[in-house]
Amino acid sequence: MEWPRAIETKKRGVWLLDNPSTNQGTAFDRAQRDELRLRGMLPHRVLTLAEQATLAIDQIRAKATPLERYIGMASLQDRNEVLFYRVLVDHVAELMPVVYTPTVGEACQKFSHIYRSARGLWLTPDDVDDLPAVLRNSPFEDVRLIVVTDNERILGLGDQGCGGMGIPIGKLALYVAGAGLHPSKCLPISLDVGTDNPELLADPLYLGYPKKRLRGRAYDDFIEAFVRAVREVFPKAIVQWEDFHKDRAFTLLERYRRRIPSFNDDIQGTASVTVAGILAALRLTKESVAAQRVLFLGAGEACTGIARLFSIAMREGGASDATIRRSIVAFDSRGLLHDGQKIDEPHKRELALPLALMAEYGLDPARKHAPVDVVRALKPTILVGATAQAGTFTQELVEEMARHVARPIDLPLSNPTSKTECTPEQALRWTKGRAIVATGSPFDDVVQDGRRHVIGQANNVFIFPGVGLGAAIAEAREVTTEMFYVASATLASAVSEARLAQGAIYPSQSELRRVSFAIACAVVRYASEHDLGRRLRPEEVESSVRAAVWDPSYVPVRSSGPDARGAAD
């Protein structure tokens, strides 16, 4: 994938300063200021990009609230794209919570009231018959990565209407900063099919499509038209489905994953980062993945995706299908999932415990079992929570599990921190420091019995940038589940021995680019070996990925053609 190594333009003056792709602000040197009619339009001092970045991060840090810092970063992106990404790359661990979770949640809720300028594309039902033409309005022609949402299940906030666009914008910022995908290859899209959020519909300043959410056949036809339009206009694009309601997320993934190279980060990205954490934890326990037993509290997109991918990991580790089936048990909000009950949601049926295994474990299908009952019967080695309910991992549950396991792996994954199933401090205190803990939300280190435990965060940002970059470079025809297992194994191996010794089963977020590069290489290699994309010789893989990685820096802006004195071409 190529991007401009220089910009040749007929434009002059203010147009260059108002375009974030060409604006270099005070970094324009004397010769450029003369050539491009910028002399007198900028202060005298010429700054380097590094000096500009120092000023910019100081300005962001001076903001009083996270939302103000979010707006400050968005404004910087709208003014000077290279400088925005230079600051984000250099301070990714500090700024990730600003440009994405948790601050992006508040930004989505207040989107119509903090909107500053256009970014990405909004597609509405009024556009359904003309979607290719709308897609061609994108400022870039060679789009390789699209993040698209229909805004219905934004984080833990639900339906946010057009404000859900904050999620694709934030995710793509992390693709660029975390993996090095060039901004011109990225396109955020909101499928603004209306909203059922009464507060938004009642807001006279709401900017979105002011109707009830599209449902049924009309919704399906709209998605079909969107997929066809993407295939026509951006034939090499990878599509990331983001924050769709679980009732549609699984359906869309299965319906389109072989028609257009696509994946769902809520299902597959979450699964991949969680399985990576488990594989890293097993480096500490020295146990086989095939010997593990997992209890899931939660049976939505996250846990279903994790269970599917963990089954692949167990199979790769030598476990039989029978062993895998008896080693994965799940609860939803109504209780233990088993074949003796009616289960309406198809994705939950695959997690249901067969009645023969219920009998083997001494669990009566006629009774309502608590999680602690299942822990006594199953003796799980791994506890995974994605319930968005604080306190789901009770002291009794965690202590009971620890009676049967020397180093229990406790993964309370819900976010924000107010909804986590238990805190790392609780898990470590209840297990007398024996638990290996990682969370979905950021937590401070914990000191237990004089020992410091570093709490790793199971953040999807460790997975999707590398997978997306690798799939785009490979020009993958399909983004397979196995690619996410490859990403898991790569991430698990990227955790240093020093981090593991401190209890952290994920790298520091400051290592994101290194990790994403390794995952991209692994995905490109897998796609080539399995005839899912471009064929590359093994020795070509790393150089191909390295050549595609963009490091934010200014390129020369050169005058071409007649002097237009700032007028449009």
Side-chain angles (χ1 to χ4, degrees):
M1 293 184 294
E2 292 294 320
W3 61 84
R5 266 52 176 193
I7 298 173
E8 294 194 3
T9 178
K10 297 178 183 178
K11 303 297 177 68
R12 305 287 190 277
V14 70
W15 188 93
L16 297 174
L17 299 179
D18 287 344
N19 184 337
S21 297
T22 58
N23 181 28
Q24 299 179 11
T26 52
F28 280 118
D29 62 28
R30 305 278 179 234
Q32 287 177 308
R33 295 183 189 196
D34 283 337
E35 179 185 1
L36 301 172
R37 291 193 171 273
L38 295 171
R39 189 173 179 181
M41 300 186 69
L42 295 162
H44 174 77
R45 173 80 180 274
V46 176
L47 297 180
T48 64
L49 177 58
E51 290 170 330
Q52 288 180 315
T54 297
L55 289 172
I57 190 62
D58 287 346
Q59 291 164 2
I60 295 301
R61 288 169 176 164
K63 305 291 185 183
T65 67
L67 185 62
E68 288 178 0
R69 288 189 282 276
Y70 175 93
I71 293 170
M73 286 295 290
S75 297
L76 179 59
Q77 188 176 16
D78 291 337
R79 293 194 310 274
N80 185 330
E81 200 166 57
V82 170
L83 179 56
F84 167 83
Y85 282 114
R86 184 72 269 159
V87 172
L88 185 55
V89 168
D90 291 346
H91 305 278
V92 65
E94 175 184 353
L95 292 176
M96 195 182 303
V98 175
V99 301
Y100 200 60
T101 57
T103 310
V104 72
E106 184 180 1
C108 288
Q109 290 176 302
K110 298 177 178 177
F111 188 87
S112 292
H113 294 265
I114 65 172
Y115 177 83
R116 297 295 193 272
S117 65
R119 183 168 293 277
L121 295 177
W122 279 266
L123 308 180
T124 75
D126 293 347
D127 305 311
V128 69
D129 295 325
D130 205 21
L131 288 178
V134 180
L135 291 184
R136 289 189 177 96
N137 289 335
S138 167
F140 304 109
E141 296 180 358
D142 186 25
V143 170
R144 299 299 185 93
L145 203 297
I146 292 171
V147 177
V148 60
T149 183
D150 75 348
N151 312 295
E152 188 171 10
R153 197 206 68 94
I154 299 300
L155 304 175
L157 304 171
D159 187 342
Q160 294 302 310
C162 75
M165 180 56 117
I167 300 299
I169 291 172
K171 277 282 174 81
L172 285 169
L174 296 179
Y175 267 107
V176 177
L181 202 64
H182 192 268
S184 67
K185 308 299 179 185
C186 303
L187 180 62
I189 295 180
S190 169
L191 303 179
D192 186 5
V193 294
T195 178
D196 291 336
N197 186 324
E199 294 181 5
L200 296 178
L201 291 173
D203 183 354
L205 298 177
Y206 176 59
L207 294 176
Y209 193 69
K211 296 183 180 181
K212 284 284 189 177
R213 181 170 283 275
L214 207 63
R215 300 287 184 190
R217 179 61 182 272
Y219 177 89
D220 291 341
D221 289 347
F222 183 80
I223 298 294
E224 175 68 20
F226 166 72
V227 169
R228 290 184 178 184
V230 170
R231 291 182 64 186
E232 176 183 336
V233 180
F234 304 121
K236 293 184 177 181
I238 308 296
V239 173
Q240 177 176 320
W241 305 99
E242 185 71 28
D243 284 346
F244 286 75
H245 191 280
K246 63 181 179 181
D247 292 343
R248 278 161 289 287
F250 287 101
T251 300
L252 294 178
L253 182 62
E254 294 307 316
R255 181 179 297 164
Y256 291 114
R257 62 187 300 176
R258 291 176 180 86
R259 284 185 53 193
I260 188 169
S262 58
F263 66 94
N264 185 301
D265 187 50
D266 302 304
I267 299 172
Q268 295 160 290
T270 299
S272 188
V273 77
T274 304
V275 170
I278 293 171
L279 294 177
L282 295 179
R283 289 173 56 194
L284 277 172
T285 66
K286 310 299 183 186
E287 294 176 352
S288 164
V289 66
Q292 304 309 303
R293 298 173 300 281
V294 189
L295 175 59
F296 290 98
L297 300 190
E301 293 169 87
C303 286
T304 301
I306 297 166
R308 289 175 177 176
L309 196 62
F310 190 68
S311 296
I312 292 176
M314 290 188 71
R315 194 169 293 114
E316 287 289 321
S320 66
D321 288 347
T323 297
I324 293 169
R325 192 66 201 88
R326 64 184 293 111
S327 302
I328 295 175
V329 178
F331 278 74
D332 71 358
S333 58
R334 294 182 297 177
L336 176 65
L337 292 174
H338 59 80
D339 286 344
Q341 62 185 172
K342 181 182 178 182
I343 301 175
D344 294 326
E345 296 167 280
H347 68 273
K348 291 185 179 181
R349 292 180 202 141
E350 62 192 83
L351 299 177
L353 198 62
L355 291 179
L357 286 177
M358 288 281 288
E360 183 178 329
Y361 285 131
L363 299 170
D364 182 355
R367 283 187 53 205
K368 186 175 179 64
H369 293 282
V372 70
D373 300 327
V374 175
V375 166
R376 293 189 182 106
L378 178 67
K379 297 180 175 56
T381 58
I382 302 165
L383 184 61
V384 177
T387 63
Q389 297 291 324
T392 307
F393 288 7
T394 64
Q395 181 173 353
E396 181 186 17
L397 180 69
V398 173
E399 289 180 343
E400 183 63 34
M401 180 176 165
R403 288 191 179 94
H404 310 290
V405 185
R407 297 294 308 273
I409 301 172
D410 292 329
L411 304 175
L413 300 180
S414 292
N415 53 55
T417 53
S418 61
K419 294 185 177 182
T420 193
E421 285 75 15
C422 76
T423 67
E425 186 277 331
Q426 289 171 324
L428 288 162
R429 174 160 47 86
W430 295 337
T431 62
K432 296 180 173 57
R434 290 189 288 123
I436 301 171
V437 186
T439 56
S441 299
F443 277 89
D444 292 334
D445 299 348
V446 175
V447 176
Q448 172 69 30
D449 296 331
R451 182 186 172 192
R452 178 170 164 263
H453 298 259
V454 177
I455 308 303
Q457 186 185 358
N459 192 321
N460 292 18
V461 76
F462 284 123
I463 296 295
F464 67 80
V467 170
L469 176 64
I473 293 170
E475 297 181 10
R477 292 186 296 277
E478 181 182 349
V479 183
T480 65
T481 302
E482 288 73 18
M483 288 179 181
F484 283 94
Y485 173 69
V486 168
S488 296
T490 303
L491 175 57
S493 66
V495 184
S496 69
E497 292 295 336
R499 291 277 293 178
L500 285 175
Q502 296 174 318
I505 55 177
Y506 293 101
S508 165
Q509 289 177 357
S510 62
E511 299 179 82
L512 181 55
R513 278 219 160 190
R514 177 182 68 83
V515 171
S516 296
F517 180 84
I519 290 175
C521 289
V523 169
V524 171
R525 193 174 293 112
Y526 182 92
S528 179
E529 291 171 352
H530 292 80
D531 199 26
L532 290 167
R534 292 194 300 142
R535 294 303 298 265
L536 294 172
R537 294 192 301 271
E539 63 271 18
E540 295 177 321
V541 171
E542 285 198 13
S543 60
S544 296
V545 175
R546 189 169 288 109
V549 172
W550 176 67
D551 187 59
S553 58
Y554 292 131
V555 299
V557 179
R558 301 178 183 134
S559 175
S560 66
D563 184 348
R565 302 182 70 88
D569 289 341

